[in-house]
Amino acid sequence: MKRILMMVLRNLFMVPYGWIGLCYRAAHVDKYTEEDMYQFLTWIDLHANRGGNVHIDVHGLENLPEKNGFMFFPNHQGLYDVLAIIEASPRPFSVVAKKEIANIPFLKQIFACMKAYMIDREDVRQAMQVIINVTKEVKKGRNYLIFAEGTRSKNGNHVGTFKGGSFKSATKAQCPIVPVALVDSFKPFDTNSIKPVTVQVHFLEPLYYDDYKDMKTTQIAALVQERIQNVINASI
């Protein structure tokens, strides 16, 4: 990926410190508070984005719930998505991601620092345990991100089908659901270009428990998907 190489070359002076620091933190996650870890990840993310000619255009910060213990549900465009939201969100969060990307260098260390859960979609028992664990942590006040499409969209800014099962942790925790619309997030890492690019991150109005308590998870998924697609359509 040309842009990743450019990010490294333009930050050559801080790459050794950043990489060693990232690897050390990934191997010693319990030594740091979530806030300290997130601040470090944001610092790395900002340098990478500046070096890679990626600008994050953030909308809707006022929509973030006042209290922690909520879940982000963005559309999934590419490998860059989580990095876009790290810069955009002032609030720490963790991630539920598929195991297939668990060993990608850099992302592997990022996910370790975030204490992310890697889910095996072929192992029902393991997937259910992840849902249980995330539910417990959200109830305790941690924020999580789940890609409800389950896999990256291959159609750019066209959102894939959101799966109802992705919302089980949120409904069990009775927490706020925050839809996140990503626009052009596929361009930094999933195209072979190094031209300057702007990625839009829109935090939409959250769905609170009273808003969705009488809905099936498939209905919640369809509603969140529709809201995100409408914002994307209005932004491109």
Side-chain angles (χ1 to χ4, degrees), residues 132-187:
I132 292 170
N133 293 342
V134 171
T135 300
K136 289 179 179 178
E137 294 196 22
V138 171
K139 284 182 176 181
K140 292 178 181 178
R142 292 197 80 204
N143 309 316
Y144 269 85
L145 179 152
I146 291 181
F147 292 110
E149 289 162 279
T151 189
R152 288 176 282 166
S153 169
K154 302 299 183 182
N155 297 309
N157 289 311
H158 180 75
V159 180
T161 302
F162 276 33
K163 296 174 174 59
S166 300
F167 292 84
K168 286 183 178 179
S169 290
T171 57
K172 289 179 181 294
Q174 300 181 8
C175 72
I177 291 170
V178 183
V180 183
L182 297 175
V183 181
D184 290 341
S185 188
F186 66 95
K187 291 183 178 180

Side-chain angles (χ1 to χ4, degrees), residues 11 28 36-37 50 76 84 107 119-120 128 151 179 193 209:
N11 288 288
H28 302 87
D36 288 340
M37 195 74 85
R50 290 169 185 165
H76 195 8
L107 288 181
I119 194 167
D120 184 351
M128 286 301 299
T151 189
S193 172
Y209 181 63

Side-chain angles (χ1 to χ4, degrees), residues 34-35 37-43 45-46 49 56-65 67-74 80-95 114 142-145 178-182 199-204:
E34 186 173 37
E35 289 72 21
M37 195 74 85
Y38 193 71
Q39 186 177 27
F40 180 76
L41 294 179
T42 301
W43 177 78
D45 198 22
L46 286 169
N49 288 338
I56 307 299
D57 184 19
V58 187
H59 304 262
L61 284 175
E62 69 279 4
N63 290 324
L64 296 182
K67 296 181 180 180
N68 287 327
F70 58 84
M71 296 188 70
F72 287 132
F73 286 90
Y80 182 76
D81 295 347
V82 171
L83 300 180
I85 298 173
I86 286 176
E87 177 171 338
S89 174
R91 310 277 282 280
F93 64 93
S94 188
V95 177
M114 299 175 86
R142 292 197 80 204
N143 309 316
Y144 269 85
L145 179 152
V178 183
V180 183
L182 297 175
V199 175
Q200 298 179 44
V201 180
H202 298 258
F203 298 109
L204 311 189

